[in-house]
């Protein structure tokens, strides 16, 4: 399996590195692990994060026809030149992706049968602001949940939300939980458990799915 972790100008490094490392670690515990790579919509390049002078190198282009998993991180509230965005907000950094080829590539990813798109923190807002997940349940950082709902997405207060070919994580550190859940879903619980032991981290929270008995009380 191929997992492409998307980088864009101003991305949050932890959102990207945590799932990259967890998914890659599957290759250490099973022969048929997941091969992870950093990609960008533009192809191979140094991609500046929103954290000071830290950059990561995208080694390939985002190719929905090539990937089995596409992981979209959120952003930090700085532009690549180190300045705060005009309105001082992370959504302003995320909105800059709408002027790139990324939304079209993410639409192609969601349209491709058998491919799962996963997001961490504000990554779901990239899809939402592009109009790609209207009416679908998803989560994001608690500070962005109101904006997520304003796009027509069904905002869920959960750490991880599974809506089939769309899996979303809430906070920055939920990248660990999203990736471990993807390992369990794609490769089985023994692989996920082995990676949990390897990185000394236990997945947090119950994964929300739109199935099961109807609720009589909202909590």
């Amino acid at each position: 399996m191929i997992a492409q972790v998307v980088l864009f100008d101003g991305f949050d490094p932890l959102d990207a590195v945590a799932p990259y490392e967890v998914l890659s670690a599957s290759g250490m515990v099973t022969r048929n692990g997941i091969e992870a790579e950093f990609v960008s919509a533009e192809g191979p390049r140094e991609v500046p994060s929103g954290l000071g002078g830290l950059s990561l190198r995208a080694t390939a282009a985002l190719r929905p026809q090539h990937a089995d998993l596409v992981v979209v991180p959120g952003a930090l509230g700085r532009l690549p030149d180190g300045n705060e965005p005009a309105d001082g907000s992370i959504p302003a950094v995320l909105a800059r992706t709408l002027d790139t080829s990324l939304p079209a590539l993410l639409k192609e990813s969601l349209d491709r049968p058998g491919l799962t798109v996963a997001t961490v923190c504000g990554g779901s807002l990239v899809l939402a602001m592009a109009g790609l997940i209207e009416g679908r349940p998803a989560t994001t950082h608690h500070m962005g949940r109101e904006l997520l709902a304003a796009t027509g997405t069904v905002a869920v207060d959960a750490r991880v939300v599974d809506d089939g070919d769309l899996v979303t994580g809430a906070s920055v550190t939920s990248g660990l939980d999203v990736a471990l859940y993807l390992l369990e879903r794609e490769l089985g619980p023994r692989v996920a458990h082995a990676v949990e032991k390897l990185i000394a981290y236990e997945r947090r929270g119950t994964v929300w799915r739109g199935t099961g008995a109807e609720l009589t009380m909202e909590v």
Side-chain angles (χ1 to χ4, degrees), residues 1 67-71 109-110 112-118 162 164-167 182 185-186:
M1 296 187 69
D68 301 289
L69 299 170
V70 170
V71 182
S109 300
L110 287 167
R112 181 191 157 197
L115 189 155
T116 296
V117 175
D162 180 348
D165 63 352
L166 176 66
V167 177
L182 290 172
R185 204 178 79 161
E186 303 297 333

PDB file of all heavy atoms in Angstrom, residues 1 67-71 109-110 112-118 162 164-167 182 185-186:
ATOM      1  N   MET A   1       0.828  -1.192   0.000  1.00  0.00           N
ATOM      2  CA  MET A   1       0.000   0.000   0.000  1.00  0.00           C
ATOM      3  C   MET A   1       0.868   1.249   0.000  1.00  0.00           C
ATOM      4  O   MET A   1       1.931   1.284   0.625  1.00  0.00           O
ATOM      5  CB  MET A   1      -0.936   0.029   1.206  1.00  0.00           C
ATOM      6  CG  MET A   1      -1.960  -1.080   1.252  1.00  0.00           C
ATOM      7  SD  MET A   1      -3.139  -0.825   2.605  1.00  0.00           S
ATOM      8  CE  MET A   1      -4.032   0.610   2.004  1.00  0.00           C
ATOM      9  N   ALA A  67      -1.960   6.303  -5.281  1.00  0.00           N
ATOM     10  CA  ALA A  67      -2.014   6.132  -3.831  1.00  0.00           C
ATOM     11  C   ALA A  67      -3.191   5.275  -3.389  1.00  0.00           C
ATOM     12  O   ALA A  67      -4.212   5.188  -4.062  1.00  0.00           O
ATOM     13  CB  ALA A  67      -2.100   7.499  -3.155  1.00  0.00           C
ATOM     14  N   ASP A  68      -3.008   4.649  -2.220  1.00  0.00           N
ATOM     15  CA  ASP A  68      -4.100   3.946  -1.539  1.00  0.00           C
ATOM     16  C   ASP A  68      -4.643   4.789  -0.390  1.00  0.00           C
ATOM     17  O   ASP A  68      -5.818   4.693  -0.036  1.00  0.00           O
ATOM     18  CB  ASP A  68      -3.598   2.598  -0.995  1.00  0.00           C
ATOM     19  CG  ASP A  68      -3.055   1.698  -2.093  1.00  0.00           C
ATOM     20  OD1 ASP A  68      -3.863   1.202  -2.898  1.00  0.00           O
ATOM     21  OD2 ASP A  68      -1.824   1.521  -2.149  1.00  0.00           O
ATOM     22  N   LEU A  69      -3.765   5.590   0.199  1.00  0.00           N
ATOM     23  CA  LEU A  69      -4.135   6.509   1.279  1.00  0.00           C
ATOM     24  C   LEU A  69      -3.561   7.878   0.954  1.00  0.00           C
ATOM     25  O   LEU A  69      -2.417   7.984   0.507  1.00  0.00           O
ATOM     26  CB  LEU A  69      -3.567   6.045   2.627  1.00  0.00           C
ATOM     27  CG  LEU A  69      -3.986   4.694   3.182  1.00  0.00           C
ATOM     28  CD1 LEU A  69      -3.119   4.336   4.388  1.00  0.00           C
ATOM     29  CD2 LEU A  69      -5.443   4.710   3.577  1.00  0.00           C
ATOM     30  N   VAL A  70      -4.343   8.916   1.177  1.00  0.00           N
ATOM     31  CA  VAL A  70      -3.862  10.296   1.063  1.00  0.00           C
ATOM     32  C   VAL A  70      -4.137  10.973   2.393  1.00  0.00           C
ATOM     33  O   VAL A  70      -5.279  10.975   2.872  1.00  0.00           O
ATOM     34  CB  VAL A  70      -4.565  11.049  -0.083  1.00  0.00           C
ATOM     35  CG1 VAL A  70      -4.229  12.540  -0.028  1.00  0.00           C
ATOM     36  CG2 VAL A  70      -4.173  10.459  -1.436  1.00  0.00           C
ATOM     37  N   VAL A  71      -3.095  11.526   3.015  1.00  0.00           N
ATOM     38  CA  VAL A  71      -3.212  12.147   4.332  1.00  0.00           C
ATOM     39  C   VAL A  71      -2.974  13.650   4.196  1.00  0.00           C
ATOM     40  O   VAL A  71      -1.941  14.074   3.652  1.00  0.00           O
ATOM     41  CB  VAL A  71      -2.206  11.547   5.330  1.00  0.00           C
ATOM     42  CG1 VAL A  71      -2.376  12.189   6.711  1.00  0.00           C
ATOM     43  CG2 VAL A  71      -2.369  10.029   5.415  1.00  0.00           C
ATOM     44  N   SER A 109      -8.982  12.340  -5.602  1.00  0.00           N
ATOM     45  CA  SER A 109      -8.719  11.303  -4.597  1.00  0.00           C
ATOM     46  C   SER A 109     -10.011  10.758  -4.015  1.00  0.00           C
ATOM     47  O   SER A 109     -10.194   9.548  -3.877  1.00  0.00           O
ATOM     48  CB  SER A 109      -7.839  11.875  -3.472  1.00  0.00           C
ATOM     49  OG  SER A 109      -6.597  12.330  -3.967  1.00  0.00           O
ATOM     50  N   LEU A 110     -10.933  11.663  -3.647  1.00  0.00           N
ATOM     51  CA  LEU A 110     -12.206  11.232  -3.081  1.00  0.00           C
ATOM     52  C   LEU A 110     -13.062  10.490  -4.104  1.00  0.00           C
ATOM     53  O   LEU A 110     -13.863   9.616  -3.741  1.00  0.00           O
ATOM     54  CB  LEU A 110     -12.979  12.437  -2.544  1.00  0.00           C
ATOM     55  CG  LEU A 110     -12.437  13.057  -1.247  1.00  0.00           C
ATOM     56  CD1 LEU A 110     -13.078  14.412  -1.004  1.00  0.00           C
ATOM     57  CD2 LEU A 110     -12.669  12.129  -0.063  1.00  0.00           C
ATOM     58  N   ARG A 112     -11.935   8.515  -6.435  1.00  0.00           N
ATOM     59  CA  ARG A 112     -11.347   7.246  -6.869  1.00  0.00           C
ATOM     60  C   ARG A 112     -11.771   6.110  -5.934  1.00  0.00           C
ATOM     61  O   ARG A 112     -11.507   6.138  -4.734  1.00  0.00           O
ATOM     62  CB  ARG A 112      -9.827   7.330  -6.880  1.00  0.00           C
ATOM     63  CG  ARG A 112      -9.204   6.026  -7.360  1.00  0.00           C
ATOM     64  CD  ARG A 112      -7.716   5.989  -7.128  1.00  0.00           C
ATOM     65  NE  ARG A 112      -7.286   4.588  -7.081  1.00  0.00           N
ATOM     66  CZ  ARG A 112      -6.133   4.185  -6.593  1.00  0.00           C
ATOM     67  NH1 ARG A 112      -5.293   5.045  -6.080  1.00  0.00           N
ATOM     68  NH2 ARG A 112      -5.819   2.904  -6.592  1.00  0.00           N
ATOM     69  N   PRO A 113     -12.440   5.077  -6.443  1.00  0.00           N
ATOM     70  CA  PRO A 113     -12.846   3.942  -5.605  1.00  0.00           C
ATOM     71  C   PRO A 113     -11.623   3.240  -4.997  1.00  0.00           C
ATOM     72  O   PRO A 113     -10.604   3.055  -5.664  1.00  0.00           O
ATOM     73  CB  PRO A 113     -13.571   3.011  -6.587  1.00  0.00           C
ATOM     74  CG  PRO A 113     -14.003   3.897  -7.710  1.00  0.00           C
ATOM     75  CD  PRO A 113     -12.933   4.939  -7.835  1.00  0.00           C
ATOM     76  N   GLY A 114     -11.738   2.913  -3.724  1.00  0.00           N
ATOM     77  CA  GLY A 114     -10.673   2.182  -3.053  1.00  0.00           C
ATOM     78  C   GLY A 114      -9.623   3.053  -2.397  1.00  0.00           C
ATOM     79  O   GLY A 114      -8.763   2.538  -1.679  1.00  0.00           O
ATOM     80  N   LEU A 115      -9.661   4.349  -2.620  1.00  0.00           N
ATOM     81  CA  LEU A 115      -8.695   5.253  -2.002  1.00  0.00           C
ATOM     82  C   LEU A 115      -9.335   5.918  -0.794  1.00  0.00           C
ATOM     83  O   LEU A 115     -10.482   6.367  -0.861  1.00  0.00           O
ATOM     84  CB  LEU A 115      -8.237   6.306  -3.013  1.00  0.00           C
ATOM     85  CG  LEU A 115      -7.069   7.221  -2.598  1.00  0.00           C
ATOM     86  CD1 LEU A 115      -6.348   7.749  -3.833  1.00  0.00           C
ATOM     87  CD2 LEU A 115      -7.516   8.394  -1.753  1.00  0.00           C
ATOM     88  N   THR A 116      -8.610   5.979   0.305  1.00  0.00           N
ATOM     89  CA  THR A 116      -9.086   6.645   1.518  1.00  0.00           C
ATOM     90  C   THR A 116      -8.337   7.951   1.716  1.00  0.00           C
ATOM     91  O   THR A 116      -7.107   7.980   1.643  1.00  0.00           O
ATOM     92  CB  THR A 116      -8.893   5.750   2.756  1.00  0.00           C
ATOM     93  OG1 THR A 116      -9.693   4.571   2.631  1.00  0.00           O
ATOM     94  CG2 THR A 116      -9.286   6.487   4.032  1.00  0.00           C
ATOM     95  N   VAL A 117      -9.077   9.018   1.946  1.00  0.00           N
ATOM     96  CA  VAL A 117      -8.483  10.316   2.287  1.00  0.00           C
ATOM     97  C   VAL A 117      -8.607  10.496   3.795  1.00  0.00           C
ATOM     98  O   VAL A 117      -9.699  10.364   4.347  1.00  0.00           O
ATOM     99  CB  VAL A 117      -9.187  11.466   1.547  1.00  0.00           C
ATOM    100  CG1 VAL A 117      -8.621  12.810   2.012  1.00  0.00           C
ATOM    101  CG2 VAL A 117      -9.020  11.317   0.044  1.00  0.00           C
ATOM    102  N   ALA A 118      -7.496  10.769   4.446  1.00  0.00           N
ATOM    103  CA  ALA A 118      -7.480  11.012   5.887  1.00  0.00           C
ATOM    104  C   ALA A 118      -6.967  12.419   6.142  1.00  0.00           C
ATOM    105  O   ALA A 118      -6.131  12.930   5.394  1.00  0.00           O
ATOM    106  CB  ALA A 118      -6.595   9.992   6.601  1.00  0.00           C
ATOM    107  N   ASP A 162     -14.797   8.159  11.243  1.00  0.00           N
ATOM    108  CA  ASP A 162     -14.672   7.280  10.074  1.00  0.00           C
ATOM    109  C   ASP A 162     -15.951   7.387   9.261  1.00  0.00           C
ATOM    110  O   ASP A 162     -17.020   6.977   9.700  1.00  0.00           O
ATOM    111  CB  ASP A 162     -14.445   5.837  10.539  1.00  0.00           C
ATOM    112  CG  ASP A 162     -14.302   4.851   9.373  1.00  0.00           C
ATOM    113  OD1 ASP A 162     -14.585   5.219   8.221  1.00  0.00           O
ATOM    114  OD2 ASP A 162     -13.909   3.700   9.637  1.00  0.00           O
ATOM    115  N   GLY A 164     -16.084   6.046   5.995  1.00  0.00           N
ATOM    116  CA  GLY A 164     -15.741   5.216   4.846  1.00  0.00           C
ATOM    117  C   GLY A 164     -14.445   5.647   4.196  1.00  0.00           C
ATOM    118  O   GLY A 164     -13.356   5.406   4.744  1.00  0.00           O
ATOM    119  N   ASP A 165     -14.528   6.304   3.052  1.00  0.00           N
ATOM    120  CA  ASP A 165     -13.310   6.725   2.357  1.00  0.00           C
ATOM    121  C   ASP A 165     -12.799   8.069   2.852  1.00  0.00           C
ATOM    122  O   ASP A 165     -11.874   8.633   2.274  1.00  0.00           O
ATOM    123  CB  ASP A 165     -13.533   6.771   0.840  1.00  0.00           C
ATOM    124  CG  ASP A 165     -14.583   7.800   0.433  1.00  0.00           C
ATOM    125  OD1 ASP A 165     -15.250   8.380   1.320  1.00  0.00           O
ATOM    126  OD2 ASP A 165     -14.744   8.011  -0.779  1.00  0.00           O
ATOM    127  N   LEU A 166     -13.374   8.565   3.951  1.00  0.00           N
ATOM    128  CA  LEU A 166     -12.927   9.796   4.592  1.00  0.00           C
ATOM    129  C   LEU A 166     -12.754   9.549   6.083  1.00  0.00           C
ATOM    130  O   LEU A 166     -13.716   9.223   6.782  1.00  0.00           O
ATOM    131  CB  LEU A 166     -13.941  10.921   4.358  1.00  0.00           C
ATOM    132  CG  LEU A 166     -13.660  12.249   5.063  1.00  0.00           C
ATOM    133  CD1 LEU A 166     -12.397  12.904   4.519  1.00  0.00           C
ATOM    134  CD2 LEU A 166     -14.857  13.191   4.942  1.00  0.00           C
ATOM    135  N   VAL A 167     -11.526   9.674   6.569  1.00  0.00           N
ATOM    136  CA  VAL A 167     -11.226   9.502   7.991  1.00  0.00           C
ATOM    137  C   VAL A 167     -10.581  10.786   8.473  1.00  0.00           C
ATOM    138  O   VAL A 167      -9.573  11.233   7.910  1.00  0.00           O
ATOM    139  CB  VAL A 167     -10.287   8.302   8.232  1.00  0.00           C
ATOM    140  CG1 VAL A 167      -9.916   8.191   9.720  1.00  0.00           C
ATOM    141  CG2 VAL A 167     -10.935   7.014   7.755  1.00  0.00           C
ATOM    142  N   LEU A 182      -5.966   3.658  10.920  1.00  0.00           N
ATOM    143  CA  LEU A 182      -5.840   3.226   9.527  1.00  0.00           C
ATOM    144  C   LEU A 182      -5.084   1.910   9.427  1.00  0.00           C
ATOM    145  O   LEU A 182      -5.424   1.048   8.608  1.00  0.00           O
ATOM    146  CB  LEU A 182      -5.143   4.306   8.704  1.00  0.00           C
ATOM    147  CG  LEU A 182      -5.949   5.582   8.453  1.00  0.00           C
ATOM    148  CD1 LEU A 182      -5.066   6.630   7.795  1.00  0.00           C
ATOM    149  CD2 LEU A 182      -7.176   5.293   7.589  1.00  0.00           C
ATOM    150  N   ARG A 185      -7.517  -0.756  10.415  1.00  0.00           N
ATOM    151  CA  ARG A 185      -8.550  -0.947   9.394  1.00  0.00           C
ATOM    152  C   ARG A 185      -8.006  -1.610   8.141  1.00  0.00           C
ATOM    153  O   ARG A 185      -8.671  -2.466   7.540  1.00  0.00           O
ATOM    154  CB  ARG A 185      -9.168   0.413   9.030  1.00  0.00           C
ATOM    155  CG  ARG A 185     -10.562   0.316   8.456  1.00  0.00           C
ATOM    156  CD  ARG A 185     -11.153   1.669   8.147  1.00  0.00           C
ATOM    157  NE  ARG A 185     -10.650   2.231   6.900  1.00  0.00           N
ATOM    158  CZ  ARG A 185     -11.254   3.198   6.223  1.00  0.00           C
ATOM    159  NH1 ARG A 185     -12.362   3.746   6.699  1.00  0.00           N
ATOM    160  NH2 ARG A 185     -10.745   3.657   5.110  1.00  0.00           N
ATOM    161  N   GLU A 186      -6.790  -1.244   7.742  1.00  0.00           N
ATOM    162  CA  GLU A 186      -6.240  -1.731   6.483  1.00  0.00           C
ATOM    163  C   GLU A 186      -5.408  -3.004   6.633  1.00  0.00           C
ATOM    164  O   GLU A 186      -5.433  -3.866   5.744  1.00  0.00           O
ATOM    165  CB  GLU A 186      -5.371  -0.639   5.833  1.00  0.00           C
ATOM    166  CG  GLU A 186      -6.100   0.669   5.573  1.00  0.00           C
ATOM    167  CD  GLU A 186      -7.247   0.522   4.589  1.00  0.00           C
ATOM    168  OE1 GLU A 186      -7.185  -0.383   3.741  1.00  0.00           O
ATOM    169  OE2 GLU A 186      -8.210   1.314   4.673  1.00  0.00           O
TER     170      GLU A 186
END
